[in-house]
Amino acid sequence: MGASRMFKDEERLLERAIQAVRRFHEARDYSAPREEVERLKDEAEAMMKELSAFQMDALERIIPKA
């Protein structure tokens, strides 16, 4: 995967993660039902983990191993 594509993929994933976190905070702030808040929290956490894994993989591809 080229660097340009990798950055575009990361931008899309980052945007999805930000939106998931935003939905969670909005639901929590506006007193949505507990089950909905928990579902959105789980979704946000999963998206952040996916983003983190993607970034770690990207770093491993561009930083030479010693």
Side-chain angles (χ1 to χ4, degrees):
M1 175 185 309
S4 178
R5 168 121 188 246
M6 186 171 49
F7 290 129
K8 287 179 183 180
D9 289 346
E10 181 183 22
E11 286 176 4
R12 283 191 291 270
L13 189 55
L14 177 59
E15 181 60 32
R16 288 176 53 211
I18 290 169
Q19 290 298 324
V21 170
R22 184 174 290 137
R23 285 190 301 273
F24 161 65
H25 283 282
E26 287 173 352
R28 187 189 60 190
D29 293 347
Y30 292 106
S31 302
R34 186 177 55 80
E35 296 82 15
E36 179 72 3
V37 172
E38 284 299 314
R39 184 186 68 75
L40 291 169
K41 179 183 175 217
D42 292 345
E43 181 181 310
E45 287 177 350
M47 288 301 307
M48 294 303 288
K49 287 178 183 177
E50 186 177 342
L51 175 62
S52 179
F54 181 91
Q55 291 173 328
M56 291 303 295
D57 182 59
L59 281 174
E60 290 173 359
R61 291 173 186 245
I62 60 175
I63 297 176
K65 295 188 186 226

